[in-house]
Structure formats: C-alpha cells, structure tokens
Amino acid sequence: MAAAVHTPVQPDIQYHPDYEKYTARVARRKATEELSKSLPEGFPQKLESPLVWEGKDVEKRDDWIFKLNDAQREEIDAALNSFKALKLSLGNINAETFPLPNLGPTLRSLSNEIHNGRGFFVLRGLDIDRYSREDNIIIYAGVSSHIGSIRGRQEDRRFNANGGSVVLSHIKDLTRTADANTIGAPSNTNDKQVFHTDSGDIISLLCLHPAAEGGESQISSSWLVYNILAKERPDLVRTLSEPWPVDGFNNPEKPYTTRPLLYHQKATETTPERVLIQYARRYFTGFLAQPRSTNIPPISEAQAEALDALHFLAEEHSAALDFQKGDVQYINNLSIFHARKGFRDEPGKERHLLRLWLRDPELAWETPEPLRGRWENVYGDVKVEEQVFPLEPKLRKSVGR
C-alpha cells in the first residue's frame, strides 16, 4: 500500500493576530518539535544601538519632537511662495526650489537621527489651516526634500498606463465611498493596522486631520524585537532569515516571490552591524479583497508563529505617538515597525494623512540584495515630469510592502 502523500496546507492564521491561537501554536511546537537553540551563523546575540529602545521610555520623553517656531514657519511660507513663483510642476520640488537656508541644516541633522540615531522624529507645528490642499502638499514635499531628496513611487508601474508615478498617498477610510470588494489594503479602512513595514527607507506621514476617536499611530523598535528573539527564540530568528513565499496577489508574471524577512549586515569600516526586518503581514494572510492566493505555496507553522511573534512583541514594546494636526512623522522603515489603532470618524472629523516614501542618498543604508528589485520599483528612475501628487484619496494599487 502506497504511503499517503502529505500536502502542506496554509496554517490557521489571519490578518488580525489572535493571541490564543498564537500561544497554542507556541505550546504545540515546543511540545512536538526540536527547536534550534542557535542563531544563524554570524548573527549577533545582542544589538547595542540607539535604535534599540523601549516604547514606554519613548512615551515618557518628548526629545523626539521638533517643534517649529514662528520664524521657521515663516521661512517655510517664503519657500512655498518661492516655489510657486517658479511655475514648475510639483515633481520639481527639491531642496533648491524649496529653499530653507536656516531650517534646512537642522532638517539634515534630523535625517542623520533617522539613519544613525533613534530612528525617528516628529516635526510639529505646520499650520495646516492656513493653506489650501495643494499648498499643504507642496509644503510637505518641500520640507521632506531636505530629509530625503528622493521620493518613491507608491503604485506599481504596471498599473499606470499613462506612465505617471504616484509619489504621494492619502491614508483615509474609503469604506463608505468605495465597494468593500475593491479594498485590499488596511490603509483605506478604519480598521486596526497591525505592525508591519512599508517599502523603502524612510516612511513619512503628515496629519491633515485626526480622527474623531482613536487612530493612534504606534511604532516599535524592530532591533529590540530582534534582541528578544535572539535571546529567547533563536529558532524564530532562523525562520525569519530563511526564504518565505510572498504573495504576488494574482500577478500573472510572478504569482509569488521568495525572500527572507530578516537580513543581517556585518559591520564595515564605515557602517555598524545592522539587522533589517522587512515585511507586511497581509502578504502571508491576505486582507479583505486580496485573500491569500490558493495556487502558491503555503507558509509553514514556524512562519505563522514568527509572524505572530513579531506582532505581539512589537505591540508589547511599542510607543503610541500623539499624532496631532500639522505633525509630520518620519521613521526609519528598516529598523522600526509601525501600526495604527482602529478609529471612528465623524463628519468634519475624518482621519486624513498624507504619506511619502523617501530616500536620503547620502545616509541611506545598503539595500539587501533580495530587496533590490522592490526598492528599484519604488525609487528607480522616478523622473521629475512623471511624478503625480493626487489632491484627493483614491484606491491604490500597491507596489508591495
């Protein structure tokens, strides 16, 4: 009698993490599997860096907030008027066309903080109500060009028949105006968004308006999460550093790709030792109109546990940022997870953020080889004349996270 062939199946795991399922899976695997007690070769036992921080300590401080003063706001206003006088397309916004002679050097030092310090800061005090939507977009892109001079495209080139590159996204609940069957990204809902990373180096968000209730922005040090896993569950570090089947969501050319979620970079003469975690949970569980593809390899039980471990550890050690109207949040996407709590809108009190994906070529970290195709899709050859800055939200076709 022929032996039965075991066909791998997708584990019982969904986009929203379930703590009971997580703890049951942990207990089951510890009881039935021989879990590795050693890290992959060369990986650090512990990272020592300002990028390793505890959320509750961040919440007790405010030295990560840079508050604009009146003179700096007027300098930004002058830069806005200077750019508008040039009568150029918005793709021409850069540090030269949006000059900030006094504030600019401070913004450059804050970019250094993103790459070599704590990994994030909040710019507070933009006067949103003083300007039109387009002027606020110009100000946001102009100030941000001093942080990271390269803006990334946020929609896959495959979906832009006119050749344009959407470099600005609106993060807003569209469930009341769009068919739920067309929404495949949590950013277009009022749902809780679990811990994840985007594509790219620097993730920036401008708050045009907070929600009537909820919607707090959360961040967590992925380097602290790494240290905890390296000490308590080195087997999960191994799992994260091995190839995973990343859903292409019905991409006929690439139904799925394989890559690690965790990367290690050895120290060099000019750079410290680093680990980079790059992932979004929905690429392994699906979300709403984009369920997990059935014709691609499932993730393993170990990978399911690792996904939950990343989320629950990030949540336990996270900081909730008091995100106010006119705040701009800048985070190192390669060392920080971010998330969002669910929220409730009311007429006139609707949560509305703008997002840029930035890169600072002077300070950027080396991109791991398996991510270079994704980074090229975001940052590669984004021409000035093709950059699109939508004034209103619309459903987007993501380049992937």
Side-chain angles (χ1 to χ4, degrees):
M1 187 175 185
V5 177
H6 175 67
T7 303
V9 296
Q10 179 76 357
D12 180 16
I13 186 170
Q14 293 76 38
Y15 174 76
H16 287 292
D18 183 314
Y19 191 72
E20 289 186 7
K21 288 183 181 179
Y22 167 53
T23 53
R25 179 173 280 116
V26 171
R28 185 170 62 249
R29 293 195 63 232
K30 285 184 174 180
T32 62
E33 298 181 39
E34 191 69 37
L35 304 179
S36 175
K37 294 181 170 54
S38 65
L39 292 168
E41 185 177 355
F43 277 59
Q45 294 289 340
K46 186 177 183 181
L47 292 159
E48 303 278 359
S49 168
L51 291 167
V52 178
W53 45 260
E54 175 63 65
K56 64 178 182 290
D57 296 333
V58 166
E59 292 179 342
K60 294 174 185 174
R61 310 166 65 105
D62 65 359
D63 55 352
W64 43 269
I65 300 173
F66 179 79
K67 297 178 181 177
L68 293 168
N69 59 36
D70 289 342
Q72 290 162 338
R73 275 187 286 270
E74 290 311 309
E75 185 175 12
I76 290 170
D77 185 70
L80 168 68
N81 292 323
S82 175
F83 177 79
K84 290 170 70 174
L86 298 174
K87 300 189 182 305
L88 298 170
S89 68
L90 300 196
N92 287 277
I93 298 171
N94 58 46
E96 287 69 46
T97 61
F98 197 92
L100 297 171
N102 297 311
L103 180 58
T106 301
L107 295 176
R108 292 304 301 142
S109 69
L110 289 169
S111 184
N112 187 64
E113 177 70 17
I114 292 170
H115 292 86
N116 300 308
R118 191 185 283 123
F120 72 95
F121 76 94
V122 169
L123 182 75
R124 175 158 293 170
L126 291 180
D127 193 353
I128 297 297
D129 294 333
R130 180 178 176 181
Y131 300 104
S132 68
R133 174 67 56 78
E134 183 172 31
D135 283 356
N136 276 318
I137 287 173
I138 294 171
I139 288 171
Y140 178 35
V143 169
S144 296
S145 68
H146 292 264
I147 301 291
S149 61
I150 303 174
R151 286 182 290 272
R153 56 174 67 81
Q154 298 188 46
E155 290 191 2
D156 196 305
R157 294 187 231 194
R158 292 179 294 135
F159 301 118
N160 289 292
N162 62 0
S165 287
V166 176
V167 297
L168 178 102
S169 282
H170 294 254
I171 310 300
K172 193 175 184 184
D173 177 20
L174 301 180
T175 56
R176 287 178 296 178
T177 57
D179 182 349
N181 292 325
T182 64
I183 296 176
S187 58
N188 295 138
T189 74
N190 67 346
D191 207 348
K192 172 183 178 179
Q193 199 165 9
V194 302
F195 282 93
H196 65 284
T197 64
D198 286 6
S199 290
D201 293 1
I202 304 171
I203 308 305
S204 171
L205 293 168
L206 163 63
C207 182
L208 292 178
H209 205 288
E213 182 181 6
E216 292 86 355
S217 178
Q218 298 168 282
I219 61 172
S220 191
S221 165
S222 63
W223 283 33
L224 176 63
V225 170
Y226 172 87
N227 280 352
I228 295 169
L229 290 175
K231 179 181 179 182
E232 299 179 1
R233 291 297 303 275
D235 60 296
L236 293 183
V237 173
R238 284 186 174 274
T239 297
L240 290 165
S241 67
E242 294 165 352
W244 289 52
V246 183
D247 204 333
F249 292 123
N250 301 314
N251 179 344
E253 298 171 13
K254 288 186 178 180
Y256 71 98
T257 54
T258 57
R259 66 169 182 85
L261 306 193
L262 168 66
Y263 305 88
H264 173 241
Q265 295 178 341
K266 296 179 180 179
T268 70
E269 291 183 0
T270 56
T271 61
E273 181 176 37
R274 291 168 174 156
V275 296
L276 296 72
I277 302 180
Q278 214 286 328
Y279 89 110
R281 186 179 176 98
R282 67 188 180 92
Y283 284 88
F284 308 101
T285 65
F287 181 82
L288 290 183
Q290 285 188 327
R292 174 79 178 175
S293 298
T294 57
N295 59 339
I296 67 173
I299 64 172
S300 67
E301 285 290 322
Q303 289 170 334
E305 185 193 345
L307 282 179
D308 279 345
L310 290 180
H311 172 79
F312 287 115
L313 284 172
E315 188 171 58
E316 180 182 354
H317 299 281
S318 67
L321 301 186
D322 179 22
F323 211 22
Q324 304 174 10
K325 178 188 281 191
D327 279 3
V328 189
Q329 176 180 302
Y330 295 94
I331 68 170
N332 183 334
N333 187 55
L334 301 174
S335 71
I336 291 176
F337 300 131
H338 62 282
R340 173 193 79 204
K341 296 183 180 179
F343 63 91
R344 180 179 59 81
D345 283 339
E346 292 177 358
K349 295 182 179 179
E350 298 171 335
R351 189 179 191 270
H352 192 173
L353 311 181
L354 301 179
R355 182 179 67 192
L356 292 169
W357 288 348
L358 305 169
R359 183 174 175 86
D360 181 346
E362 292 180 30
L363 299 173
W365 293 8
E366 179 187 355
T367 305
E369 193 279 329
L371 296 179
R372 287 177 189 166
R374 294 161 65 85
W375 261 236
E376 178 65 20
N377 205 11
V378 173
Y379 296 120
D381 196 25
V382 185
K383 297 182 174 63
V384 165
E385 62 274 12
E386 75 182 35
Q387 294 182 35
V388 178
F389 296 76
L391 294 182
E392 297 296 335
K394 68 180 182 108
L395 288 177
R396 64 188 180 86
K397 304 280 191 178
S398 173
V399 299
R401 286 184 174 175

